Amino acid sequence: MIALIIHGGAWNIPDILLEGHRAGVARALEIGWNILSSGGSAVDAVEHAVKSMEDDGTFDAGRGSHLNANGDVELDASIMDGTTFRCGAVGAVHRIKNPISLSRKIMDDSEHILLVGEGAERFAHEHGVQLCNPAELRCSREIDLWNSIRMKEDFQTKQPFQNQPSDTVGAVALDRTGKICVGTSTGGTLNKHPGRVGDSPLIGCGTFADSAVGGISTTGWGEGMIKVVMAKTVIDLMEMNGGDPRSAAEKGIEHLKRKVDGHGGVIVLNTRGQFGISYNTPRMARAYRSSAMDAPVVQI
Ligand code: ASP
């Protein structure tokens, strides 16, 4: 059994952006699926699927991410191997084109898990990852959006979150060896305070994988996800319910809403290659496929 599920953010995605989101998650699924179906590892599938969405320009990840209150792109990402429990993550980096690949380097080549800011960029340089010019990550769509909201005195990064762009990306894969890997990457919330780090690079909040139970990637209001330790909570729910990803995903979102009035979405995969998807925003972009299915599914 092999399986892969991708998300491209949960919010009130406007009609005009639907096609870009659909195409971006479909492409990421295809890239990851080709790796898995030719015998590749869940880690490679996740890294390359997420990387394609960081490069896409459509999503709040890598190039084209939201700008922070200084008008800069500041990126967070993480990856976790559910068999070894090794993980790598970066927070608040400005000069990294593919934070998911740097997260993987930290997972593979370092004793640490989470590196932030300048230290993460120094690690990248020391390990042969080329630093980019921060201007390359900024796009005119996001500059215009930022200019339109930053003068609004009542603008908050949280509410009403359903209407705030939230295009974080994530992938959860199961390979032939039974390994489950998860990756998540984001530019965080629009107009966030410089230095703000969300749930996406935090293991147990935005990302969690345990090859004996399943994997999850989250998207939505990061502060809420952190408060309820969302990713680990959903995996615990799934472990307790006998491995049903659908019910775990639904209960997780109910819990997020009830406890902290949170908004967002989750993609969940179990050891049998079954999926769970839940969100309490109007839309969530996702795509999935397993060896039990004839064709991929792409939905918003
Ligand atoms: N969870 C991300 C964050 O708060 C935002 C998102 O999912 O779009 O950084």
Side-chain angles (χ1 to χ4, degrees):
M1 168 61 74
I2 55 173
L4 179 63
I5 183 162
I6 306 287
H7 74 76
W11 58 292
N12 193 10
I13 305 169
D15 290 348
I16 192 168
L17 299 182
L18 289 184
E19 212 24 67
H21 283 69
R22 212 174 265 134
V25 293
R27 195 173 317 113
L29 183 73
E30 193 185 342
I31 288 169
W33 184 258
N34 287 342
I35 293 172
L36 290 176
S37 58
S38 54
S41 77
V43 179
D44 283 337
V46 163
E47 180 190 352
H48 290 281
V50 171
K51 194 163 174 256
S52 82
M53 292 187 283
E54 289 176 339
D55 291 338
D56 188 297
T58 299
F59 301 101
D60 178 30
R63 192 171 67 82
S65 285
H66 297 325
L67 305 185
N68 70 8
N70 281 347
D72 296 325
V73 165
E74 202 167 77
L75 302 171
D76 301 337
S78 64
I79 191 165
M80 179 169 189
D81 175 330
T83 302
T84 59
F85 270 44
R86 289 185 67 109
C87 8
V90 295
V93 292
H94 293 192
R95 294 189 296 157
I96 304 295
K97 194 168 160 271
N98 293 113
I100 194 69
S101 299
L102 181 57
S103 300
R104 179 167 183 186
K105 265 232 164 307
I106 294 167
M107 174 170 82
D108 288 346
D109 296 348
S110 117
E111 58 179 310
H112 303 305
I113 292 178
L114 173 60
L115 295 179
V116 302
E118 248 175 64
E121 292 175 357
R122 187 165 131 195
F123 180 92
H125 178 68
E126 288 163 358
H127 288 76
V129 176
Q130 221 187 330
L131 299 178
C132 70
N133 179 339
E136 282 174 43
L137 302 173
R138 287 162 45 106
C139 72
S140 55
R141 178 196 66 225
E142 292 302 322
I143 294 169
D144 291 348
L145 176 64
W146 183 66
N147 281 326
S148 73
I149 57 94
R150 74 196 172 106
M151 293 308 180
K152 289 188 185 156
E153 271 171 24
D154 59 346
F155 181 83
Q156 291 190 335
T157 59
K158 181 203 164 185
Q159 291 293 354
F161 200 81
Q162 300 102 307
N163 295 321
Q164 296 301 338
S166 163
D167 298 300
T168 290
V169 304
V172 187
L174 168 69
D175 68 22
R176 283 184 192 174
T177 69
K179 184 192 288 292
I180 290 179
C181 177
V182 181
T184 308
S185 181
T186 188
T189 47
L190 177 60
N191 207 35
K192 65 189 179 182
H193 195 285
R196 178 265 189 190
V197 170
D199 57 320
S200 308
L202 302 183
I203 300 301
C205 297
T207 293
F208 195 74
D210 178 345
S211 299
V213 184
I216 172 170
S217 172
T218 76
T219 176
W221 176 49
E223 280 72 10
M225 297 285 181
I226 294 170
K227 287 176 188 171
V228 300
V229 199
M230 187 68 175
K232 180 63 164 58
T233 298
V234 172
I235 293 297
D236 286 348
L237 287 168
M238 188 157 75
E239 188 165 23
M240 287 183 300
N241 76 13
D244 177 353
R246 224 181 259 187
S247 142
E250 277 161 19
K251 289 225 158 61
I253 291 291
E254 274 164 32
H255 180 77
L256 176 74
K257 177 74 186 153
R258 191 174 64 248
K259 290 284 181 184
V260 297
D261 193 24
H263 289 103
V266 296
I267 53 170
V268 186
L269 174 65
N270 72 7
T271 54
R272 298 188 292 279
Q274 296 164 326
F275 304 109
I277 298 158
S278 184
Y279 51 98
N280 61 359
T281 51
R283 286 173 166 160
M284 176 170 172
R286 73 267 187 193
Y288 53 94
R289 183 169 190 179
S290 82
S291 39
M293 295 161 56
D294 293 334
V297 172
V298 179
Q299 289 170 326
I300 297 197

